[in-house]
Amino acid sequence: MRVAFLGPPGAGKGTQARELAREWGVPHLATGDMLREAVTAMTPLGLAAKVYMDQGALVPDDVIVGLMRERLDALDASKGFIVDGFPRTIAQAEALGRVLADSGRALDAVIFFDVSEAELLRRLTGRRVCRQCQATYHVSSAPPAKTDVCDRCGGALYQRDDDSEATVRKRLEVYARQTAPLLDYYRGQRLLVSVRGEGPIDGIREAVREAARGAW
Ligand code: AMP
């Protein structure tokens, strides 16, 4: 299964991708996670990316495409993957198509997580993330058993710098302008499958499984 998870920030792509990657035995390639790791490690890439991330803007396409090309080229070509948070622009989508075609691969499906703007704002501003395992929580609707401690691994929870309300609004604007056009792009390639991203997490997961099964 070679699949891309597409949707606005806060749509639940990462939450579902982490679980389903385990279930399907494929790598989960999340550009946001890769960039945050680079920021923490203070690599040149991380330092350059942080400026954009803190503003809620997109990191330039050539940087992201270079990063993903490296990861995708390193995979066993016969194996699947989930890309999450990538592509986010038409240029990235075209580059992804080329990278995969170079090794005789193509996407099987692009799964779109459909969530209302009010719900995205609520989720993002209340989100807390584990520094260690990246598990996500919500201060009111999915709190950890012990405040600011991860139920899974005991790691410390934190609020992402870009989850403040002002930056969240900017990220949603950027999504609408630069990423939403991918819906038509992938619809045109008959790869797009829409999943309602609201309601119980398990129900959404089953809908994603079904969408993926339909594409196989
Ligand atoms: P995410 O964790 O997917 O919400 O990404 C966090 C931030 O990382 C975004 O707001 C962007 O600044 C940057 N980022 C992640 N993925 C991409 C991408 N595919 N293209 C450009 N910037 C990205």
Side-chain angles (χ1 to χ4, degrees):
M1 171 52 64
R2 300 185 188 101
V3 58
F5 283 8
L6 175 65
K13 307 182 295 294
T15 301
Q16 299 295 350
R18 263 183 290 281
E19 283 297 320
L20 289 169
R22 239 194 306 265
E23 190 176 306
W24 295 340
V26 298
H28 168 211
L29 305 176
T31 40
D33 289 347
M34 290 173 197
L35 292 170
R36 277 184 292 280
E37 274 165 31
V39 170
T40 304
M42 295 204 293
T43 64
L45 166 74
L47 295 176
K50 187 173 184 339
V51 181
Y52 298 94
M53 295 168 79
D54 285 349
Q55 293 170 4
L58 295 186
V59 172
D61 286 335
D62 55 338
V63 174
I64 294 289
V65 168
L67 184 70
M68 285 305 268
R69 177 180 280 279
E70 208 174 278
R71 301 289 175 118
L72 288 165
D73 282 349
L75 293 182
D76 177 342
S78 64
K79 278 247 178 144
F81 54 77
I82 299 175
V83 285
D84 158 18
F86 174 86
R88 254 174 157 103
T89 63
I90 297 280
Q92 290 180 18
E94 289 171 348
L96 173 60
R98 284 194 298 272
V99 168
L100 295 178
D102 283 351
S103 50
R105 294 177 284 179
L107 284 176
D108 295 312
V110 175
I111 299 179
F112 169 60
F113 288 66
D114 195 3
V115 179
S116 73
E117 185 164 327
E119 173 65 5
L120 294 172
L121 264 173
R122 189 195 70 81
R123 286 186 189 176
L124 287 166
T125 53
R127 176 161 72 179
R128 296 294 180 272
V129 185
C130 175
R131 269 194 204 285
Q132 227 158 269
C133 74
Q134 319 305 321
T136 54
Y137 297 85
H138 189 276
V139 285
S140 56
S141 56
K146 203 169 150 209
T147 309
D148 291 339
V149 178
C150 179
D151 290 347
R152 277 200 206 155
C153 75
L157 304 188
Y158 77 112
Q159 180 173 36
R160 279 172 44 174
D161 289 343
D162 58 353
D163 279 346
S164 69
E165 184 164 344
T167 311
V168 163
R169 286 192 186 278
K170 175 79 199 296
R171 289 164 65 203
L172 292 175
E173 266 170 49
V174 166
Y175 169 79
R177 201 174 54 244
Q178 296 185 264
T179 308
L182 290 179
L183 293 178
D184 272 346
Y185 179 84
Y186 283 122
R187 207 173 274 128
Q189 297 191 4
R190 302 195 174 282
L191 287 176
L192 193 78
V193 193
S194 220
V195 163
R196 187 165 177 271
E198 295 189 36
I201 290 186
D202 288 352
I204 301 170
R205 184 160 310 137
E206 188 46 35
V208 176
R209 280 192 197 104
E210 211 168 286
R213 273 197 293 269
W216 247 322

